[in-house]
């Protein structure tokens, strides 16, 4: 069989990074396997083309099991099945989370993963529009750009927040990590998506002969010699192939595919594996457990006049915007349609934000329209509310021993009283903001939840009927040294030699923000762990955390 030094399973947000960094050594050979195909479609490059996650060939299209706290509803769980993984189909919003998130990992026994430890890796990964500085990188592969808030109702949102006493910041990753401000996206200066594949693979895949990328390759089983993983088996074009790793196999398949492959190979909860007819090799009860996800929902308002972004997606204007984007990388299609981004505390006494809110200057289901043909949609705006610090934990299990069968995933979101209460407060906060001038001057009335939903009990019942996720799942192969941990702080799988996990599944808790940037950071840090290297911790990291006063009150 073919032999490489390292075999990486999954060319997603972390796997692309690991492949790039390991092949910096010309004497190291790497095979990168991806179950999906190439990322060369037009919509992958377009900033507003993230709805490509709906395409079956692009996404794994998972569904949760009937959710026990959401009235038995099944939740759609798209995950990228393409080069770049979910970074190729996500909404490109760049967010690292709060410094306390990573300090908590260190307190949980994950040595080398405090904020001071990971900040240098966030910086190494990016070229930020602000340039090189204490909190940002200026020469990394990942391009981070500022959202152009022109025509996006940015100022009315910001002024309403100021009047209510909320803090503001021009950089959620600088000294002040909470408050209202403009957002950042993973897009280039020419308005193209900067996915992990475009950032880390495209510049090297033709130049480095020690990197082999194989697409449409679905890993089905790890190969062992005693307790050591020495390779794996995968299916491609109807054939079963095997490959050998002289040094290590690195699993970067993501929060669902990585634990699935481990369990199919006999690594996981012994009782569950036996029930599936799989002989356990290593009894690791934490595989598939500790699933953490950000619950989310929309609050929507109708405006008094035609003030939303619906004006800009009129067919003729959209055609001009497409040409402008294609030729110059400018205009509507070169950035995200986001008015403002807020990370805030919903209660005094908290030491970090527990809610994230994205304010969007357009309705959730906005569609292009043609003047004089058909009926134009009504002008609406929406706010997306996200629970940043969930208590609830879910789990995933195999459906069978057949690798083609999708795993059974239970998110268990809204499973604790604290989570439910925080989500209810989110509705009140959004209502208060849209009822505050100058934002209130633009609004006609609330559409959802609607005026009939007022008491805490009514809001909670409404949320249990509509709540979804923001696609930030982590934790199913959690890092640590406890009885339910799966990998150690070096990302080596407990009880197995020659096997590491480098993706979002190792995160002990979900960071308080979007998870693409943290996943890329894990790839950067994981590659150094494999190489036996380490960037020095940031000496001034403690000064990067400023907690504003809590002067605001919630009606």
């Amino acid at each position: 069989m073919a032999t490489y030094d390292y075999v990486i399973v999954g060319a997603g947000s972390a796997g692309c990074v690991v492949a790039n960094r390991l092949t910096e050594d010309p004497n190291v050979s790497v095979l990168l396997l991806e179950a999906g195909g190439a990322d060369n479609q037009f919509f992958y490059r377009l900033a507003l083309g993230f709805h490509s996650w709906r395409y079956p060939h692009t996404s794994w299209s998972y569904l949760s099991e009937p959710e026990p706290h959401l009235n038995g509803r099944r939740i759609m769980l798209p995950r990228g099945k393409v080069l770049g993984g979910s970074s190729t189909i996500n909404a490109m919003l760049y967010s690292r989370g709060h410094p306390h998130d990573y300090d908590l990992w260190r307190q949980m026994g994950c040595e080398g993963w405090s904020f001071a430890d990971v900040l240098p890796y966030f910086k190494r990964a990016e070229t930020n529009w602000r340039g090189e500085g204490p909190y940002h990188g200026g020469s990394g592969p990942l391009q981070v750009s500022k959202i152009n808030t022109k025509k996006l109702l940015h100022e009315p949102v910001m002024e309403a927040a100021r009047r209510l006493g909320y803090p503001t910041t021009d950089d959620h990753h600088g000294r002040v990590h909470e408050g209202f401000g403009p957002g950042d996206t993973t897009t280039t200066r020419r308005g193209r998506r900067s996915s992990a594949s475009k950032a880390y693979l495209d510049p090297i895949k033709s130049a480095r002969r020690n990197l082999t990328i194989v697409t449409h390759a679905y890993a089905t089983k790890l190969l062992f010699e005693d307790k050591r993983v020495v390779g794996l088996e995968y299916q491609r074009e109807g054939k079963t192939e095997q490959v050998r790793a002289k040094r290590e196999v690195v699993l970067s398949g993501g929060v669902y595919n990585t634990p699935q492959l481990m369990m199919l190979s006999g690594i996981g909860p012994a009782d569950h594996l036996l029930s599936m007819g799989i002989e356990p090799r290593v009894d690791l009860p934490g595989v598939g457990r500790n699933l953490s996800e950000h619950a989310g929902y929309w609050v929507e308002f109708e405006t008094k006049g035609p003030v939303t972004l619906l004006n800009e997606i009129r067919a003729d204007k959209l055609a001009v915007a497409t040409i402008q984007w294609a030729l110059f990388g400018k205009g509507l299609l070169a950035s995200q349609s986001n008015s403002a981004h807020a990370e805030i505390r919903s209660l005094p006494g908290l030491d970090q934000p527990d809610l994230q809110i994205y304010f969007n200057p357009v309705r959730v289901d906005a569609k292009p329209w043609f003047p004089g043909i058909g009926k134009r949609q009504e002008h609406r705006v929406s706010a997306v509310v996200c629970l940043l610090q969930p208590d609830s934990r879910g789990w995933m299990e195999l459906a069978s021993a057949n690798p083609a069968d999708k795993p059974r995933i239970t998110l268990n979101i809204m499973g604790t009283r604290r989570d439910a209460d925080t989500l209810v407060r989110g509705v009140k906060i959004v209502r208060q903001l849209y009822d505050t001038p100058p934002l209130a001057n633009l609004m006609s009335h609330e559409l959802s939840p609607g005026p009939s939903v007022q008491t805490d009990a009514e809001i909670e019942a409404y949320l249990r009927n509509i709540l979804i996720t923001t696609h930030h799942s982590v934790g199913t192969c959690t890092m640590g040294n406890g009885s339910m941990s799966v990998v150690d702080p070096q990302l080596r799988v407990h009880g197995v030699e020659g096997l590491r996990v480098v993706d979002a599944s190792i995160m002990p808790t979900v960071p308080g923000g979007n998870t693409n940037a943290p996943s890329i950071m894990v790839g950067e840090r994981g590659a150094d762990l494999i190489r036996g290297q380490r960037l020095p911790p940031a000496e001034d990291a403690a000064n990067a955390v400023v907690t504003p006063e809590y002067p605001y009150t919630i009606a």
Side-chain angles (χ1 to χ4, degrees):
M1 66 182 75
T3 302
Y4 298 82
D5 290 310
Y6 297 97
V7 176
I8 304 170
V9 182
S13 296
C16 292
V17 180
V18 178
N20 178 300
R21 296 305 185 190
L22 293 184
T23 54
E24 287 176 340
D25 182 349
N27 297 314
V28 168
S29 60
V30 172
L31 172 65
L32 178 61
L33 297 176
E34 168 54 43
D39 58 340
N40 52 11
Q41 288 194 13
F42 168 77
F43 278 105
Y44 294 149
R45 304 292 283 144
L46 192 64
L48 289 183
F50 59 88
H51 288 293
S52 56
W53 62 262
R54 298 177 183 273
Y55 305 153
H57 65 276
T58 297
S59 172
W60 290 95
S61 303
Y62 292 132
L63 277 176
S64 77
E65 295 295 291
E67 287 295 325
H69 307 291
L70 302 181
N71 300 323
R73 291 186 298 116
R74 303 185 73 183
I75 307 300
M76 186 180 296
L77 303 173
R79 308 304 301 171
K81 186 180 181 183
V82 61
L83 281 177
S86 295
S87 74
T88 297
I89 64 172
N90 68 3
M92 294 166 289
L93 295 165
Y94 181 89
S95 178
R96 299 175 182 174
H98 196 276
H100 290 339
D101 295 323
Y102 305 100
D103 289 339
L104 176 61
W105 291 5
R106 177 62 185 87
Q107 294 166 19
M108 296 171 71
C110 301
E111 183 178 355
W113 291 88
S114 71
F115 180 65
D117 292 309
V118 302
L119 178 57
Y121 289 99
F122 278 118
K123 292 175 61 177
R124 185 170 81 178
E126 71 170 357
T127 292
N128 193 283
W129 65 271
R130 298 172 179 86
E132 186 82 29
Y135 313 113
H136 294 288
S139 57
L142 186 70
Q143 304 294 304
V144 179
S145 301
K146 182 180 180 180
I147 292 178
N148 180 3
T149 56
K150 185 179 179 182
K151 299 182 181 179
L152 300 185
L153 302 180
H154 174 71
E155 282 306 323
V157 174
M158 295 298 294
E159 181 57 28
R162 293 186 193 100
R163 292 191 184 192
L164 290 173
Y166 286 97
T168 61
T169 179
D170 60 359
D171 183 3
H172 284 92
H173 309 110
R175 296 188 71 242
V176 180
H177 284 75
E178 67 178 277
F180 283 66
D184 289 349
T185 61
T186 49
T187 52
T188 70
R189 293 181 180 179
R190 287 186 52 79
R192 270 63 172 170
R193 175 189 292 270
S194 183
S195 67
S197 173
K198 293 301 179 186
Y200 283 89
L201 294 185
D202 276 14
I204 67 166
K205 60 186 180 183
S206 297
R208 294 185 189 172
R209 301 185 66 180
N210 57 336
L211 173 62
T212 302
I213 302 172
V214 178
T215 56
H216 302 292
Y218 181 38
T220 56
K221 185 172 64 175
L222 298 171
L223 303 178
F224 287 82
E225 289 180 1
D226 296 325
K227 291 290 186 180
R228 182 173 185 84
V229 172
V230 296
L232 60 85
E233 189 172 276
Y234 64 94
Q235 295 178 353
R236 187 171 188 268
E237 298 179 347
K239 298 179 181 179
T240 298
E241 302 183 33
Q242 293 185 341
V243 63
R244 189 175 182 88
K246 289 189 289 187
R247 299 189 186 184
E248 291 185 8
V249 170
V250 180
L251 302 184
S252 298
V255 71
Y256 302 128
N257 295 65
T258 287
Q260 181 189 30
L261 178 58
M262 292 174 68
M263 287 191 278
L264 288 169
S265 306
I267 305 171
D271 290 345
H272 174 57
L273 297 183
L274 288 170
S275 72
M276 294 289 108
I278 298 172
E279 183 67 28
R281 286 182 172 272
V282 181
D283 182 12
L284 278 181
V287 175
R289 298 287 158 169
N290 193 47
L291 173 58
S292 185
E293 172 66 278
H294 288 152
Y297 59 88
W298 280 269
V299 181
E300 196 166 34
F301 299 82
E302 187 166 323
T303 62
K304 290 179 180 177
V307 297
T308 77
L309 201 64
L310 205 60
N311 296 325
E312 305 305 316
I313 58 174
R314 199 178 71 187
D316 54 339
K317 289 187 176 182
L318 196 58
V320 172
T322 303
I323 296 171
Q324 186 181 24
W325 170 81
L327 294 179
F328 309 109
K330 304 291 184 181
L332 171 69
L333 301 184
S335 186
Q336 262 294 355
S337 56
N338 180 249
S339 305
H341 164 208
E343 292 178 1
I344 58 174
R345 291 168 285 162
S346 70
L347 287 174
L350 301 177
D351 61 357
Q352 67 187 95
D354 60 343
L355 285 175
Q356 180 187 61
I357 308 174
Y358 281 104
F359 298 86
N360 299 318
V362 70
R363 58 189 295 150
V364 175
D365 60 346
K367 298 180 178 65
W369 57 284
F370 300 82
I373 302 176
K375 185 179 179 182
R376 190 202 66 202
Q377 295 171 298
E378 298 86 1
H379 282 266
R380 301 175 183 177
V381 294
S382 59
V384 181
V385 182
C386 170
L387 177 67
L388 288 183
Q389 307 294 331
D391 280 342
S392 306
R393 292 293 183 271
W395 58 89
M396 62 150 288
E397 298 177 329
L398 296 177
S400 74
N402 184 351
D405 289 341
K406 295 179 179 180
R408 293 173 176 164
I409 302 164
T410 303
L411 299 170
N412 201 38
I413 55 178
M414 213 170 175
T416 69
R417 185 72 260 154
R418 178 185 170 191
D419 287 357
D421 289 344
T422 305
L423 288 162
V424 168
R425 287 195 297 274
V427 173
K428 296 179 179 181
I429 289 171
V430 170
R431 282 175 164 171
Q432 189 178 35
L433 282 158
Y434 281 91
D435 196 38
T436 300
L439 198 54
N441 301 337
L442 303 175
M443 299 301 120
S444 170
H445 60 279
E446 178 185 316
L447 293 167
S448 60
S452 64
V453 179
Q454 291 297 325
T455 68
D456 285 7
E458 289 169 345
I459 296 173
E460 182 178 332
Y462 170 82
L463 293 178
R464 292 192 188 277
N465 282 324
I466 61 97
L467 203 68
I468 55 174
T469 81
T470 52
H471 315 305
H472 299 158
S473 50
V474 307
T476 49
C477 295
T478 192
M479 170 173 53
N481 294 299
S483 61
M484 294 298 288
S485 65
V486 176
V487 301
D488 66 15
Q490 303 291 307
L491 307 187
R492 300 170 297 202
V493 176
H494 294 306
V496 185
E497 298 176 6
L499 182 65
R500 294 197 206 221
V501 177
V502 185
D503 59 29
S505 69
I506 63 96
M507 300 181 189
T509 61
V510 61
N514 303 60
T515 50
N516 181 52
S519 297
I520 288 172
M521 177 276 291
V522 167
E524 290 278 8
R525 177 90 175 96
D528 268 11
L529 290 171
I530 293 169
R531 298 187 292 187
Q533 301 176 6
R534 180 180 181 180
L535 293 177
E539 295 180 359
D540 57 350
N543 298 323
V545 185
V546 174
T547 303
E549 295 295 326
Y550 187 95
Y552 44 93
T553 58
I554 300 169

